[in-house]
Amino acid sequence: MKKALSLLMVLMLVLGALAACGPNREEGTGNKDEKDNTTDDAKKPEKLVIWEDEKKSAWLDEVGKKFTEETGIELEVKEVEMASKMKEQLRLDGPAGSGPDVLTLPHDQIGELALAGHIAELKVEKDVTDRFSESSILAESYDGKLYGLPKSTETPVFIYNKALMEEPPATMEELYKFSKENTSGDQYGFLALWDNYYFAHAVIGGMGGYVFADNDGALDPKDIGLNNEGAVKGTEYIQKWYKEGLFPNGIIGENGGSAMDGLFNEGKVASVMNGPWSFQGYKDAGIEIGVSALPPFENGEHMKTFMGVKGWHVSGYSKNKEWAQKFIEFVTEDENAKLRFEQTQEVPPNTALIDDPAIADNEGAKAVAEQSQYGVPMPNIPEMGSVWEPMATALQTVVTGKAEPQKALDEAVKQIQSNIEANHSN
């Protein structure tokens, strides 16, 4: 009898446990899909807060309306000065709960913000990343993980005064020859800020130098290629232009950019290497400019300019990360990216748009899009901050004749390694 009672008690306990594990019919009687939709609706926020760059949000009136119609989620758009305030404002407003769900950032800030947890890793399907150039996705990644989707790209290009140069040269060697023939007194054939590493990397990288080795999408700050054979060869090439008087002494150092622009605006320079930010100023000076990708070297290797990418990111503090990611996937679709370009003139790295008339018929945009294919993302790891000053010092000592390339670059790399060890060692 006791044995039978014990078996009955065990049976009752098992049945109770199975009932507890089963579905609660009072929570919903629909099928699985209906239940999943109900869960999704419960997670859906009433609104998302979006931080866009200053004076660049008008396009969201139309695109945001479409997103709201499709999802039922309202958008609160705020313009923030990206260059100097976006990052610092996120650090303050994010933890306080008054920050954005989505914000835009230049890609060179990603490493620092990802390490601190200020921005969230994205998990997107391959068909989403496939809409962008490979280099722009690399720019939006840190330590092999994706932290943003690209919205625009910029990189230095070749700009020429159509009154002084009929068409861009086919190679850098042809440009060198043109410059030799058209430099006299205060007239110059070509100018570039090659004592500034941001611009000089085009030559150094094009000849085989690199900042940090790329190991499957993760940059290795212990492997520096700024004094290798290619970097030395590139610096020797730069040195030649200064030694032969093709660049004036006045475009060296902090005031070099304004000096170069001044000469170009006065009609004293046939061509320059500069970025899309300079187009309007040259036009305002009355110069009819032509724009193209930079000429390749005679061996076919392209100038590897540093490429800057602006991207959309999900705040690490957002309570709506899933929907925030859906928003940035939506706004970077080709059609929406094209609309943003038409209103802001910032070139999207969507590969399907390169041949779209909106970009292909725009000389400046087409040049940026083409050169971006040859460019390399400016390193976005914190250690990059240790590179700029030593490289500027090395280049300036070379172009002013105070040191030879190999010695100057060896000293620069030694200083970079020391800076990284002091500021970024574990």
Side-chain angles (χ1 to χ4, degrees):
M1 182 69 181
K2 288 183 179 180
K3 184 176 181 181
L5 185 59
S6 296
L7 288 172
L8 179 61
M9 292 291 291
V10 169
L11 181 60
M12 290 176 67
L13 287 170
V14 170
L15 290 173
L18 289 173
C21 293
N24 186 341
R25 297 300 177 186
E26 293 181 1
E27 290 180 358
T29 57
N31 60 32
K32 181 179 183 296
D33 290 339
E34 289 174 343
K35 184 177 179 183
D36 286 348
N37 289 337
T38 302
T39 302
D40 286 345
D41 288 341
K43 293 179 180 178
K44 186 183 295 185
E46 292 184 4
K47 73 173 182 179
L48 291 173
V49 178
I50 314 298
W51 283 3
E52 168 64 304
D53 196 12
E54 194 173 35
K55 299 179 182 179
K56 298 284 176 65
S57 70
W59 68 283
L60 276 172
D61 292 343
E62 180 176 338
V63 174
K65 183 180 179 181
K66 289 193 296 183
F67 180 78
T68 299
E69 288 174 351
E70 291 187 15
T71 65
I73 300 173
E74 298 291 333
L75 300 180
E76 180 182 323
V77 180
K78 179 180 179 181
E79 290 190 345
V80 180
E81 185 181 343
M82 182 179 65
S84 60
K85 294 184 179 179
M86 191 83 70
K87 178 174 69 173
E88 298 307 320
Q89 199 162 334
L90 175 64
R91 285 171 168 165
L92 295 173
D93 293 354
S98 56
D101 295 291
V102 173
L103 71 158
T104 182
L105 295 163
H107 85 272
D108 59 333
Q109 296 181 1
I110 290 176
E112 176 187 355
L113 294 176
L115 278 173
H118 296 307
I119 54 177
E121 180 186 354
L122 303 184
K123 301 288 187 180
V124 302
E125 297 297 328
K126 187 176 183 296
D127 63 335
V128 174
T129 55
D130 281 350
R131 70 174 68 135
F132 308 103
S133 66
E134 184 179 351
S135 58
S136 68
I137 286 295
L138 182 62
E140 292 297 318
S141 303
Y142 172 70
D143 198 22
K145 299 176 181 178
L146 185 67
Y147 283 92
L149 292 183
K151 72 170 184 176
S152 66
T153 183
E154 63 181 18
T155 196
V157 291
F158 185 76
I159 307 169
Y160 60 100
N161 182 336
K162 290 185 175 181
L164 303 176
M165 179 181 280
E166 292 184 2
E167 61 182 8
T171 65
M172 286 300 298
E173 283 67 29
E174 283 189 19
L175 178 60
Y176 170 75
K177 182 180 179 181
F178 175 91
S179 192
K180 289 281 285 186
E181 295 171 351
N182 291 274
T183 297
S184 177
D186 60 355
Q187 296 290 323
Y188 299 90
F190 171 69
L191 295 181
L193 304 175
W194 284 345
D195 69 311
N196 179 326
Y197 181 54
Y198 173 78
F199 294 98
H201 179 81
V203 179
I204 292 172
M207 293 193 176
Y210 59 88
V211 187
F212 304 123
D214 184 349
N215 297 325
D216 296 325
L219 296 176
D220 182 1
K222 294 182 180 179
D223 187 343
I224 299 171
L226 291 174
N227 62 339
N228 67 10
E229 183 180 353
V232 173
K233 184 178 177 183
T235 305
E236 288 172 345
Y237 181 85
I238 289 171
Q239 182 186 40
K240 177 176 71 171
W241 288 75
Y242 289 87
K243 264 188 175 182
E244 297 183 11
L246 300 178
F247 291 175
N249 293 333
I251 66 163
I252 295 174
E254 292 183 4
N255 298 320
S258 58
M260 184 181 76
D261 288 344
L263 289 169
F264 189 80
N265 288 338
E266 292 170 11
K268 295 179 178 179
V269 184
S271 61
V272 295
M273 173 187 179
N274 212 339
W277 51 83
S278 67
F279 295 167
Q280 194 58 51
Y282 294 158
K283 293 176 183 178
D284 291 344
I287 305 296
E288 183 183 1
I289 63 171
V291 189
S292 71
L294 286 157
F297 295 106
E298 201 164 44
N299 63 4
E301 291 293 331
H302 288 276
M303 297 273 274
K304 290 189 177 180
T305 49
F306 269 148
M307 181 179 69
V309 177
K310 295 178 184 177
W312 292 109
H313 305 270
V314 174
S315 167
Y317 304 97
S318 172
K319 296 180 180 179
N320 310 301
K321 291 183 177 65
E322 181 180 344
W323 284 100
Q325 178 175 306
K326 288 180 179 180
F327 169 81
I328 64 177
E329 289 181 18
F330 179 81
V331 296
T332 54
E333 291 176 358
D334 293 340
E335 179 183 352
N336 296 327
K338 177 181 174 180
L339 179 65
R340 186 180 189 278
F341 164 73
E342 290 172 340
Q343 294 194 19
T344 66
Q345 295 300 294
E346 291 187 346
V347 181
N350 298 53
T351 55
L353 296 179
I354 292 177
D355 295 323
D356 189 284
I359 290 177
D361 294 345
N362 182 314
E363 191 175 21
K366 182 180 179 181
V368 171
E370 182 181 347
Q371 183 62 43
S372 292
Q373 295 181 75
Y374 313 129
V376 295
M378 198 158 47
N380 62 8
I381 60 176
E383 288 85 352
M384 185 61 188
S386 298
V387 172
W388 297 111
E389 187 174 343
M391 282 302 293
T393 299
L395 289 166
Q396 287 174 19
T397 58
V398 168
V399 303
T400 55
K402 297 176 182 177
E404 288 303 307
Q406 184 72 69
K407 181 180 179 182
L409 293 177
D410 286 344
E411 286 296 320
V413 169
K414 183 178 179 181
Q415 186 61 56
I416 291 167
Q417 291 170 332
S418 177
N419 291 346
I420 291 175
E421 179 65 27
N423 298 318
H424 301 285
S425 59
N426 294 328

